[in-house]
Amino acid sequence: MSLTRRDFARSTAVTGAGVVLAGSVGALATAPQALAATDLDGAEDAHGHPGIGYGPLVPDPDGVLALPAGFSYRVVTYSGRTRLESGESTPSNHDGTAAFAGPRGAVLLVNNHELKGPRADWEHPVPLTEGLVYDPAAAGGCTVVEVRRDRVAEWVGVAGTSTNCAGGSTPWGTWLTCEETEDRTGQNGMTKDHGYVFEVDPADRRANRAPKPLKALGRYAHEAVVVDPKRGHLFLTEDASGPNGLFYRWTPPEGFHHGRGRLRTLADDAGVLQAFRCFDSGGRFVDDLSRATRTGTVYGVDWVDVPDRDARTAAVRKQFSDGQVTRARKLEGMWWGDGGVYVVSSYAREESPVQHDGQVWFYDPRRRTLTLKVLLGTGGTFDGPDNITVSPYGGLVIAEDGEGAQHLFGATDSGRTYPIARNELNIGSDSVPEYSEFTGVTFSPDGHTLFANIQQPGIMLAITGPWKRQRRS
């Protein structure tokens, strides 16, 4: 049943201004130097309570990762240095990642490699392992990394895909990897159409043979995907512009039951793919998420059918005219938690109605509402949120893909922020330093280890230390 603008306006009229503020975690720092000292050094706050976070970041003598005192990191994979079981190099450009419980205490991670275009363009593409290749012309794909106390092993999960950006884990223990491209056969040297989602099973190598695109989920510049474990919906983000991208929901066909490999059995047009349409408490249509300028803003959400999910004649986002759907720039990472979907919009610039340096929204599927939880104003301490995960210690952990220094940072339930790590690996020059974005932030199943990637050159890191539950306020 759709949630009409009249229904939403009626519900907000009953509960008043409290609805606008419901679920707010407050604003993150929105101006230079706006972080309080307690956010940076963990000192006591004005009430004598311990501060949030883990203290200031300590420079790394090895020039890789600055961490708080008491924390340490381990290099798990390093493109060009570590090797797959086959003897080939670990591929480069690490991106979205998820961790799964493996056999005998191991942790299995599926790691995307965001490599766009032909293989010749890349020094370390994903190897074309026999039986695991979709398009032999494409450079991207996923590797599976098995981490044990005394050793690390890595092998190919899927190859011959393109621009594998983020994705998402499933409740049944697999990884959905997303192609952030719309290249068709013949474009950029490709021999097959791209812009699809593929399923990778970290625990069963045979299940990954003969990769099949999940065409029911649409063909567009996919970023991330999450599964509603209760209702069976899949939610998907699109990282695109001209026009800005969309937030999608896929509803499975009646009688369908999720499980390992089940998505591969679906027809290309199975289920219903829809794009979202938002409206405010007054029933007014919202054309772009950048319109929200304060945390706590709540929009009602309805869903509009996608006319041609395979984009045979026009990109999916271009099949809607103005006023039909809501758009947003740089819709990026997502994570399921707290009964809903956390969704990132990394930034908005001149292409959007209002500029910002990052938003994190929360979609509540039961209420069919979207609430702005985090807003980064331009010129703040952190900018460009990208991959995201829900922390077992409360709040969120966010990977930064912004300007200048790149961080992993935490956000408490009340919206206060604190640094967790800083990338110190300069891939530029002494005169013009450059630091790659963080990606693939995810905790181990036991919550003891935070895994994260430095995208270029492609390094997976395991961070351990005195994790603690963060105060809500």
Side-chain angles (χ1 to χ4, degrees), residues 146-162:
E146 183 181 62
V147 179
R148 296 183 181 276
R149 185 181 300 273
D150 57 346
R151 72 178 185 91
V152 173
E154 186 178 18
W155 59 89
V156 172
V158 66
T161 53
S162 177

PDB file of all heavy atoms in Angstrom, residues 146-162:
ATOM      1  N   GLU A 146      40.560 -14.727   3.196  1.00  0.00           N
ATOM      2  CA  GLU A 146      40.381 -15.526   4.415  1.00  0.00           C
ATOM      3  C   GLU A 146      41.470 -15.141   5.408  1.00  0.00           C
ATOM      4  O   GLU A 146      42.669 -15.296   5.120  1.00  0.00           O
ATOM      5  CB  GLU A 146      40.466 -17.014   4.101  1.00  0.00           C
ATOM      6  CG  GLU A 146      40.216 -17.896   5.327  1.00  0.00           C
ATOM      7  CD  GLU A 146      40.339 -19.380   5.001  1.00  0.00           C
ATOM      8  OE1 GLU A 146      41.447 -19.800   4.605  1.00  0.00           O
ATOM      9  OE2 GLU A 146      39.334 -20.105   5.130  1.00  0.00           O
ATOM     10  N   VAL A 147      41.060 -14.630   6.558  1.00  0.00           N
ATOM     11  CA  VAL A 147      41.997 -14.144   7.558  1.00  0.00           C
ATOM     12  C   VAL A 147      41.973 -15.069   8.766  1.00  0.00           C
ATOM     13  O   VAL A 147      40.922 -15.271   9.393  1.00  0.00           O
ATOM     14  CB  VAL A 147      41.649 -12.703   7.987  1.00  0.00           C
ATOM     15  CG1 VAL A 147      42.610 -12.208   9.060  1.00  0.00           C
ATOM     16  CG2 VAL A 147      41.670 -11.770   6.779  1.00  0.00           C
ATOM     17  N   ARG A 148      43.134 -15.613   9.066  1.00  0.00           N
ATOM     18  CA  ARG A 148      43.326 -16.390  10.293  1.00  0.00           C
ATOM     19  C   ARG A 148      44.421 -15.729  11.122  1.00  0.00           C
ATOM     20  O   ARG A 148      45.102 -14.815  10.658  1.00  0.00           O
ATOM     21  CB  ARG A 148      43.713 -17.837   9.957  1.00  0.00           C
ATOM     22  CG  ARG A 148      42.623 -18.591   9.205  1.00  0.00           C
ATOM     23  CD  ARG A 148      43.027 -20.053   8.957  1.00  0.00           C
ATOM     24  NE  ARG A 148      41.997 -20.767   8.232  1.00  0.00           N
ATOM     25  CZ  ARG A 148      40.938 -21.338   8.802  1.00  0.00           C
ATOM     26  NH1 ARG A 148      40.808 -21.285  10.126  1.00  0.00           N
ATOM     27  NH2 ARG A 148      40.041 -21.972   8.077  1.00  0.00           N
ATOM     28  N   ARG A 149      44.580 -16.205  12.331  1.00  0.00           N
ATOM     29  CA  ARG A 149      45.559 -15.598  13.221  1.00  0.00           C
ATOM     30  C   ARG A 149      46.966 -15.652  12.630  1.00  0.00           C
ATOM     31  O   ARG A 149      47.756 -14.708  12.762  1.00  0.00           O
ATOM     32  CB  ARG A 149      45.543 -16.306  14.580  1.00  0.00           C
ATOM     33  CG  ARG A 149      46.458 -15.675  15.624  1.00  0.00           C
ATOM     34  CD  ARG A 149      46.397 -16.458  16.920  1.00  0.00           C
ATOM     35  NE  ARG A 149      45.040 -16.480  17.450  1.00  0.00           N
ATOM     36  CZ  ARG A 149      44.539 -15.539  18.241  1.00  0.00           C
ATOM     37  NH1 ARG A 149      45.267 -14.483  18.564  1.00  0.00           N
ATOM     38  NH2 ARG A 149      43.311 -15.644  18.702  1.00  0.00           N
ATOM     39  N   ASP A 150      47.286 -16.747  11.936  1.00  0.00           N
ATOM     40  CA  ASP A 150      48.655 -16.956  11.483  1.00  0.00           C
ATOM     41  C   ASP A 150      48.839 -16.878   9.976  1.00  0.00           C
ATOM     42  O   ASP A 150      49.959 -17.028   9.479  1.00  0.00           O
ATOM     43  CB  ASP A 150      49.168 -18.313  11.970  1.00  0.00           C
ATOM     44  CG  ASP A 150      48.282 -19.470  11.515  1.00  0.00           C
ATOM     45  OD1 ASP A 150      47.152 -19.214  11.051  1.00  0.00           O
ATOM     46  OD2 ASP A 150      48.717 -20.631  11.612  1.00  0.00           O
ATOM     47  N   ARG A 151      47.757 -16.645   9.216  1.00  0.00           N
ATOM     48  CA  ARG A 151      47.939 -16.581   7.767  1.00  0.00           C
ATOM     49  C   ARG A 151      46.741 -15.902   7.108  1.00  0.00           C
ATOM     50  O   ARG A 151      45.662 -15.784   7.692  1.00  0.00           O
ATOM     51  CB  ARG A 151      48.130 -17.983   7.170  1.00  0.00           C
ATOM     52  CG  ARG A 151      46.881 -18.833   7.139  1.00  0.00           C
ATOM     53  CD  ARG A 151      47.158 -20.185   6.486  1.00  0.00           C
ATOM     54  NE  ARG A 151      45.925 -20.972   6.354  1.00  0.00           N
ATOM     55  CZ  ARG A 151      45.147 -20.943   5.286  1.00  0.00           C
ATOM     56  NH1 ARG A 151      45.466 -20.171   4.252  1.00  0.00           N
ATOM     57  NH2 ARG A 151      44.046 -21.675   5.219  1.00  0.00           N
ATOM     58  N   VAL A 152      46.988 -15.477   5.868  1.00  0.00           N
ATOM     59  CA  VAL A 152      45.955 -14.873   5.031  1.00  0.00           C
ATOM     60  C   VAL A 152      45.971 -15.561   3.675  1.00  0.00           C
ATOM     61  O   VAL A 152      47.044 -15.799   3.102  1.00  0.00           O
ATOM     62  CB  VAL A 152      46.196 -13.356   4.845  1.00  0.00           C
ATOM     63  CG1 VAL A 152      45.205 -12.774   3.841  1.00  0.00           C
ATOM     64  CG2 VAL A 152      46.098 -12.630   6.173  1.00  0.00           C
ATOM     65  N   ALA A 153      44.803 -15.883   3.162  1.00  0.00           N
ATOM     66  CA  ALA A 153      44.676 -16.444   1.821  1.00  0.00           C
ATOM     67  C   ALA A 153      43.686 -15.590   1.036  1.00  0.00           C
ATOM     68  O   ALA A 153      42.753 -15.012   1.610  1.00  0.00           O
ATOM     69  CB  ALA A 153      44.202 -17.893   1.875  1.00  0.00           C
ATOM     70  N   GLU A 154      43.889 -15.519  -0.283  1.00  0.00           N
ATOM     71  CA  GLU A 154      43.025 -14.693  -1.130  1.00  0.00           C
ATOM     72  C   GLU A 154      42.809 -15.378  -2.468  1.00  0.00           C
ATOM     73  O   GLU A 154      43.758 -15.931  -3.040  1.00  0.00           O
ATOM     74  CB  GLU A 154      43.652 -13.304  -1.329  1.00  0.00           C
ATOM     75  CG  GLU A 154      42.767 -12.323  -2.081  1.00  0.00           C
ATOM     76  CD  GLU A 154      43.395 -10.939  -2.234  1.00  0.00           C
ATOM     77  OE1 GLU A 154      44.629 -10.829  -2.067  1.00  0.00           O
ATOM     78  OE2 GLU A 154      42.660  -9.970  -2.523  1.00  0.00           O
ATOM     79  N   TRP A 155      41.573 -15.328  -2.959  1.00  0.00           N
ATOM     80  CA  TRP A 155      41.261 -15.904  -4.254  1.00  0.00           C
ATOM     81  C   TRP A 155      40.166 -15.083  -4.932  1.00  0.00           C
ATOM     82  O   TRP A 155      39.514 -14.242  -4.296  1.00  0.00           O
ATOM     83  CB  TRP A 155      40.847 -17.361  -4.118  1.00  0.00           C
ATOM     84  CG  TRP A 155      39.636 -17.608  -3.244  1.00  0.00           C
ATOM     85  CD1 TRP A 155      38.332 -17.620  -3.607  1.00  0.00           C
ATOM     86  CD2 TRP A 155      39.642 -17.906  -1.833  1.00  0.00           C
ATOM     87  NE1 TRP A 155      37.509 -17.890  -2.534  1.00  0.00           N
ATOM     88  CE2 TRP A 155      38.290 -18.079  -1.430  1.00  0.00           C
ATOM     89  CE3 TRP A 155      40.663 -18.033  -0.867  1.00  0.00           C
ATOM     90  CZ2 TRP A 155      37.937 -18.367  -0.114  1.00  0.00           C
ATOM     91  CZ3 TRP A 155      40.303 -18.321   0.442  1.00  0.00           C
ATOM     92  CH2 TRP A 155      38.958 -18.493   0.804  1.00  0.00           C
ATOM     93  N   VAL A 156      39.954 -15.336  -6.207  1.00  0.00           N
ATOM     94  CA  VAL A 156      38.976 -14.582  -6.978  1.00  0.00           C
ATOM     95  C   VAL A 156      37.572 -15.088  -6.688  1.00  0.00           C
ATOM     96  O   VAL A 156      37.322 -16.299  -6.665  1.00  0.00           O
ATOM     97  CB  VAL A 156      39.277 -14.686  -8.486  1.00  0.00           C
ATOM     98  CG1 VAL A 156      38.147 -14.059  -9.318  1.00  0.00           C
ATOM     99  CG2 VAL A 156      40.601 -14.009  -8.802  1.00  0.00           C
ATOM    100  N   GLY A 157      36.635 -14.137  -6.468  1.00  0.00           N
ATOM    101  CA  GLY A 157      35.231 -14.486  -6.293  1.00  0.00           C
ATOM    102  C   GLY A 157      34.444 -14.319  -7.573  1.00  0.00           C
ATOM    103  O   GLY A 157      33.594 -15.144  -7.923  1.00  0.00           O
ATOM    104  N   VAL A 158      34.694 -13.228  -8.284  1.00  0.00           N
ATOM    105  CA  VAL A 158      34.106 -12.986  -9.604  1.00  0.00           C
ATOM    106  C   VAL A 158      35.072 -12.087 -10.361  1.00  0.00           C
ATOM    107  O   VAL A 158      35.733 -11.228  -9.765  1.00  0.00           O
ATOM    108  CB  VAL A 158      32.701 -12.353  -9.519  1.00  0.00           C
ATOM    109  CG1 VAL A 158      32.748 -10.957  -8.930  1.00  0.00           C
ATOM    110  CG2 VAL A 158      32.012 -12.328 -10.882  1.00  0.00           C
ATOM    111  N   ALA A 159      35.182 -12.296 -11.673  1.00  0.00           N
ATOM    112  CA  ALA A 159      36.067 -11.498 -12.526  1.00  0.00           C
ATOM    113  C   ALA A 159      35.306 -11.065 -13.772  1.00  0.00           C
ATOM    114  O   ALA A 159      34.222 -11.572 -14.072  1.00  0.00           O
ATOM    115  CB  ALA A 159      37.313 -12.294 -12.899  1.00  0.00           C
ATOM    116  N   GLY A 160      35.905 -10.125 -14.497  1.00  0.00           N
ATOM    117  CA  GLY A 160      35.276  -9.668 -15.727  1.00  0.00           C
ATOM    118  C   GLY A 160      34.069  -8.782 -15.517  1.00  0.00           C
ATOM    119  O   GLY A 160      33.219  -8.654 -16.402  1.00  0.00           O
ATOM    120  N   THR A 161      33.981  -8.161 -14.359  1.00  0.00           N
ATOM    121  CA  THR A 161      32.957  -7.143 -14.116  1.00  0.00           C
ATOM    122  C   THR A 161      33.656  -5.782 -14.095  1.00  0.00           C
ATOM    123  O   THR A 161      34.877  -5.700 -14.160  1.00  0.00           O
ATOM    124  CB  THR A 161      32.198  -7.399 -12.812  1.00  0.00           C
ATOM    125  OG1 THR A 161      33.143  -7.545 -11.736  1.00  0.00           O
ATOM    126  CG2 THR A 161      31.377  -8.684 -12.923  1.00  0.00           C
ATOM    127  N   SER A 162      32.887  -4.714 -14.013  1.00  0.00           N
ATOM    128  CA  SER A 162      33.468  -3.385 -14.168  1.00  0.00           C
ATOM    129  C   SER A 162      33.061  -2.454 -13.041  1.00  0.00           C
ATOM    130  O   SER A 162      31.901  -2.438 -12.627  1.00  0.00           O
ATOM    131  CB  SER A 162      33.021  -2.777 -15.507  1.00  0.00           C
ATOM    132  OG  SER A 162      33.514  -1.459 -15.661  1.00  0.00           O
TER     133      SER A 162
END
